[in-house]
Structure formats: C-alpha cells, structure tokens
Amino acid sequence: MSPWVRIRPALFILALLGIWHFAVVSQQNRILPTPWETVTGIIELMQRGLLIKYIVASLFRVTWGFVGAALLAIPLGLAVGWFRRTEMAFNPLIQILRPISPLAWIPISILWFGVGDVAAIYLIFLASFLPLMMTGINAVGGIPQVYINAGRNFGLSGARLVIRVLYPAVVPQLIIGLRITLGIAWLVVVAAEMIAVNSGLGFLIVDARNAGNRYDLVVAGMVMIGMIGLMLDTLMRSLEKSRALRWGYSED
Amino acid sequence: MTEEKVKTPAAKAVKTKLRATGINKTFKRDGTETSVLENVELEVAQGEFLCLLGPSGCGKSTLLNICAGFLSPTTGTVTIDGEPVTGPDPRRIFVFQERGVFPWLTVEGNIAFGLAKLSKAEQAERIAHYIKMVGLQGFEKAYPQELSGGMKQRLEVARALAVNPDMLFLDEPFGALDSITRLIMRGELLRIWEAERKTIIFVTHDIEEAVQLADRVVVMSARPATIQTIVEIDIEHPRDISSPRYLELRDGIFNEIGLAHKI
C-alpha cells in the first residue's frame, strides 16, 4: 500500500472533525461541543474517576445479562432445533415475542426488580435471549445430514456424536450469532441505564443533560459508547478468524 | 482346456458378503406414497466390486443407503455376513456423494476421526500410511477448504480406509470431479481395491465408469427401480477400454438402458 492509501482514512476523519468544529463555532448560541471540547470532557470524566467507573458498570451489566442469556438460550435453542417437534411448538411463541422491543420490558423489569442493576441486567438478558435461541435453532437446522451420517457411520452416538460432530458443526453459526447479539446487548444497556439505574454510560448521558446541559459530557459519553462497542465487536470478530473455525465463513 | 479355465467368476465358490432380499421402499410425502424400490434381490460376494448403474434419481442411492443402514426398507431385509443390518457400522464405511469430510478438521484429523480407540503411535502410523496411499503428503495440516475437489474426495476415501472396514459404499464419489481427475481417481480406487480387496458397492450413472471398474454391473430401471439385468464384466484389470470385449459389454448396457450409442 502506498502511504497515500494508508493516510486517506485518517485525512477523511480529520476533515469531518474540521467540519464538526466549524459548524459548531459558527453558531450564535453554542450548545453542542466542538471535537476538542469533547476530548476535554472525556479528560474531565477521567479526572473525576467517573469514566472508568461508568464503563465498568455498563460492561458488568452487559456481561451478566449476555452471558446468562447465552448459557440458557443456546443450549435451549440447540435442543429445540434438534427435536423438530419442539421447534414447531416453540415457534409461534418466539414469533410473537420477537417483535417486542426489549425496551418495552423496562416498566415490568423495574416492577419486578426495582431500580438497580438487576433490572438492567434482566433487560439485557431479555434482549439477548431470543436472538441467541434463534441462533441455536437455526445452527442445528443447518447441519448437513452428511456430517451426522458420517459421524454415526464411524460408530458415534449420543454425547460423543454431539461433542465430535454436532458441536464443531454449529460453532461458526453460534459465533456469528453471539457477535450480532452482543451488539444488540450493548445498544440495550445504554437505554436501560437511562431509566433503571444511576451509573453507567447511559446514565452519564442523561445525567449530564439534566445536571446543567453539559452537552460536552453527553457527546463524550456517546463517543465512549461507540468506541467500546467497536472494541467488543473486534473481540468477537477475532474469534471468527480462528483457523479451525474459518471453514464456516467461506462460501465453500 | 482344463476345468479351471471354463469357470466364470460367478461360478467360483465365493462367500456371500451381502444379501438383500425382497427390498421395497416407499416414501410418503404430503399423503402420497412414492415407490422408489421394487422387489430388489441382490447378492454381493466377498471382495467383489459391484456397480449399481441407473439413471439419476432412480433409487440406486436409496438402495445403497439401505445396505449401509442409513435407511430402513419398507419391506425386506439386508444381511451382511449373515447378520441383519439395523444401522450404520464402522466395519462398513459410506463415502458420500457430497463432500463428507469434516471441514473443521485437518487432513490428519479427518483420517484420525475413526481411530479414537487406537494408541497415538498406531494412529500416527495409519494416518501416514493412508496419506501416502492417496497422495496427500505435504497436506497433513491443511483444512479441506484448502484442498481441491479431487483431493477432498481422496481424503474421504482415506478416512474410510483408515478404519480398515471390510466393505465400502461409494455413492457417485467422482460425480463432481472434472473428467481428468475422475479417470485418475478410478485408477487409484482400483489400485486400492486390488491391494486391500474390500467388498465395494459403487453407485454411478456413468456406464463407462461402471464397465471400467466393476466385476458385475447391476443395471437398474427408472423409478420405481427394479434390477433390470446384471452384467458380468469378464475382463482382467488393467482393462483396455478400446478392446472389442469392453466395447461389446459397454454397448450391451447402452442397449439395455435403451440408448442408441450415437449422438
């Protein structure tokens, strides 16, 4: 790659930041922060010890809600997918629950768990559960019969067939599903924190606005949410690149 | 002429490996029944190379799946070495029409798949032996997606042979390969068969392929499949595919199927 090709994305971002800056400073009564004010906002949050605290709080909730959902929903989805009759039984229920936004559950989760971590974790759990269960169902449905037959032909059945054939056959689909769902969970945590708790990046945004229209901190919070979301996605993508799993992603 | 020379291969006192009696198979779909196999009677001798030949979709793969234990017949029984077949068995390996190698395992891992009961040293020995036999040296650590179609098919044959089965079921194994690779693969399969003398049932819709490979060619009719005729290919290997006898047998099968051998 020539240096120009390497530099181009950075120049583009710089140009956008420049437009942002001049658009803000050209306003009569400035409400929105310039890029530099956003950076100082982030620095201020760091100095007050809030940034790390809020990031940890948000990640903590996402981790528990997401991991809890994964541990329950994926095995359930795999089992439902394996026994076709249960899939037919579950399908209408799933199709009705699926279009309900996880945010619609906010009043009920506060009713059940009060304002606090558990309510937020429960929302993330709900938001992750159905997508992960669908992932499990579809992953099992997509296993080519030829792999199952080959496994049985070599004398495998029961648990050994699951470990040596079914599990490796579904892992690529599961990882894609986990990555997409983690993205959803990260979207939902911000919304949940705006209402159900008083810490975390979602809370930071609402709080900064309510406590004196500190829009520099609002945008700082948004930037941090974007960066951490990107980090989570990169983490999940690195799993997809693992050599033994890569087979599932080629068109072959 | 001595007594010995008059005897045809079928007249030899050979042990029956597989016997299918009164096989019928119907599939139900949306309330209508389709008969796929009708009244199939078949005997396969120990060490024999048998081809099932018929038009696409005639039910020859269904018959092979029944013999291998993946499907059960609607009526009738299949016995192998006198025991009824109730399911798949590692003593009889099926080589699939589609790519049946496991994409999440390397070449070595695939060949080792059926060898879990052996010690590490024995496994390594078998893997090395069969990798050499099918000419995949240098690709031990490669994943199937890095291999060509012909290499994948050879890998699947190696995986099957590595567990030392006494029977192989091959379902149009070379159908997806280009014609050059297909010719090479036929030669390799014959070489392996002559070395190991497994009983082989080989499904194909290619008349030339059947006559090149088989001891006997079982010609099946279109659906519902019945056995139309069984043609004995009494030519020694390696077969000269321009010899008069080869052409005679080949054209006989073309006629049997109702195709004039002209385009």
Side-chain angles (χ1 to χ4, degrees):
Chain A
M1 264 196 295
S2 72
W4 168 238
V5 173
R6 260 177 230 269
I7 268 173
R8 216 154 34 184
L11 283 180
F12 181 61
I13 289 173
L14 274 179
L16 286 181
L17 289 174
I19 292 170
W20 173 4
H21 177 85
F22 288 111
V24 169
V25 295
S26 69
Q27 294 289 308
Q28 291 293 323
N29 36 4
R30 284 180 46 198
I31 296 172
L32 293 175
T34 61
W36 180 247
E37 283 162 353
T38 307
V39 172
T40 56
I42 292 174
I43 293 168
E44 183 191 330
L45 288 171
M46 271 157 67
Q47 283 164 345
R48 282 159 62 191
L50 286 177
L51 189 66
I52 300 297
K53 189 181 143 199
Y54 284 170
I55 289 173
V56 169
S58 294
L59 284 176
F60 166 84
R61 292 175 191 125
V62 166
T63 306
W64 281 104
F66 178 73
V67 170
L71 290 179
L72 278 172
I74 288 179
L76 182 65
L78 293 176
V80 167
W82 183 250
F83 301 103
R84 294 271 153 86
R85 287 212 182 84
T86 53
E87 185 183 341
M88 283 188 257
F90 268 86
N91 203 36
L93 184 66
I94 293 173
Q95 297 310 329
I96 290 170
L97 290 176
R98 221 155 58 124
I100 302 175
S101 162
L103 305 182
W105 290 87
I106 289 177
I108 291 178
S109 60
I110 290 177
L111 176 72
W112 283 349
F113 301 107
V115 170
D117 275 338
V118 183
I121 291 170
Y122 179 68
L123 280 172
I124 293 152
F125 174 87
L126 281 177
S128 311
F129 193 88
L130 283 182
L132 289 175
M133 188 170 162
M134 292 303 294
T135 299
I137 292 174
N138 292 334
V140 172
I143 303 175
Q145 186 65 32
V146 60
Y147 298 150
I148 298 169
N149 281 353
R152 288 175 62 211
N153 200 172
F154 285 99
L156 301 186
S157 59
R160 290 200 301 149
L161 185 68
V162 172
I163 293 166
R164 297 192 57 200
V165 178
L166 302 185
Y167 168 72
V170 296
V171 162
Q173 261 65 50
L174 293 188
I175 289 180
I176 292 177
L178 284 168
R179 179 166 72 80
I180 292 168
T181 309
L182 185 59
I184 297 174
W186 188 243
L187 290 178
V188 170
V189 74
V190 173
E193 284 169 348
M194 287 184 167
I195 295 162
V197 285
N198 45 26
S199 67
L201 293 168
F203 171 76
L204 166 69
I205 288 173
V206 191
D207 189 49
R209 193 199 73 105
N210 291 347
N213 284 349
R214 286 293 305 275
Y215 279 94
D216 55 337
L217 299 186
V218 170
V219 178
M222 289 168 68
V223 169
M224 290 317 294
I225 288 165
M227 282 166 63
I228 290 168
L230 177 66
M231 191 195 75
L232 291 175
D233 200 61
T234 310
L235 204 75
M236 296 301 284
R237 267 184 203 278
S238 68
L239 279 177
E240 287 177 19
K241 293 206 180 86
S242 142
R243 192 156 179 257
L245 297 175
R246 218 170 41 192
W247 67 269
Y249 310 108
S250 62
E251 75 275 43
D252 192 298
Chain B
M1 205 179 260
T2 63
E3 273 297 302
E4 282 301 309
K5 280 198 172 166
V6 178
K7 282 185 177 173
T8 61
K12 277 181 200 159
V14 283
K15 194 169 156 255
T16 299
K17 180 73 185 169
L18 178 146
R19 175 176 282 132
T21 15
I23 302 290
N24 286 282
K25 181 73 184 173
T26 53
F27 285 112
K28 261 186 219 154
R29 177 166 290 175
D30 304 330
T32 56
E33 285 196 1
T34 316
S35 178
V36 179
L37 291 170
E38 255 178 35
N39 212 16
V40 172
E41 306 276 339
L42 187 62
E43 270 191 36
V44 186
Q46 179 98 47
E48 183 175 15
F49 197 132
L50 185 94
C51 273
L52 296 178
L53 176 72
S56 289
C58 80
K60 51 196 192 303
S61 286
T62 306
L63 179 58
L64 194 69
N65 274 283
I66 289 172
C67 290
F70 288 120
L71 291 173
S72 45
T74 309
T75 62
T77 51
V78 177
T79 59
I80 293 178
D81 295 325
E83 292 170 39
V85 171
T86 54
D89 190 303
R91 288 173 297 178
R92 316 183 275 271
I93 299 294
F94 198 107
V95 175
F96 295 90
Q97 189 173 18
E98 311 102 298
R99 287 164 257 173
V101 291
F102 297 121
W104 55 85
L105 294 175
T106 60
V107 166
E108 282 182 338
N110 265 287
I111 297 179
F113 189 82
L115 306 177
K117 291 198 180 89
L118 300 183
S119 72
K120 283 280 165 225
E122 281 175 301
Q123 284 191 20
E125 198 182 312
R126 289 251 187 126
I127 291 167
H129 177 79
Y130 285 100
I131 281 182
K132 188 154 176 266
M133 176 180 271
V134 299
L136 286 175
Q137 299 103 312
F139 291 92
E140 288 85 352
K141 309 282 183 210
Y143 283 89
Q145 79 207 37
E146 302 163 55
L147 305 178
S148 70
M151 290 160 92
K152 275 186 256 196
Q153 201 57 268
R154 278 184 280 163
L155 172 60
E156 203 181 334
V157 171
R159 183 181 70 182
L161 291 170
V163 298
N164 195 24
D166 40 51
M167 260 193 108
L168 285 178
F169 300 104
L170 298 113
D171 188 2
E172 298 188 23
F174 310 145
L177 306 181
D178 66 86
S179 59
I180 294 168
T181 314
R182 196 155 48 205
L183 276 175
I184 295 167
M185 292 294 296
R186 281 178 203 158
E188 296 201 17
L189 180 64
L190 278 175
R191 185 170 55 75
I192 292 166
W193 175 67
E194 281 170 350
E196 308 221 343
R197 284 292 160 180
K198 315 279 186 203
T199 310
I200 292 179
I201 304 185
F202 186 108
V203 161
T204 181
H205 57 248
D206 184 331
I207 295 172
E208 301 265 1
E209 183 167 70
V211 180
Q212 285 166 22
L213 293 173
D215 290 329
R216 286 189 302 152
V217 176
V218 175
V219 181
M220 305 192 74
S221 66
R223 211 160 61 194
T226 54
I227 293 180
Q228 197 171 329
T229 185
I230 297 180
V231 180
E232 199 161 299
I233 310 297
D234 50 0
I235 315 174
E236 290 295 315
H237 291 285
R239 288 176 179 168
D240 176 357
I241 60 168
S242 53
S243 71
R245 183 64 182 148
Y246 174 88
L247 298 173
E248 184 187 343
L249 286 166
R250 186 194 70 185
D251 294 344
I253 294 174
F254 269 107
N255 283 332
E256 186 64 49
I257 290 180
L259 294 170
H261 189 49
K262 288 193 183 104
I263 288 177

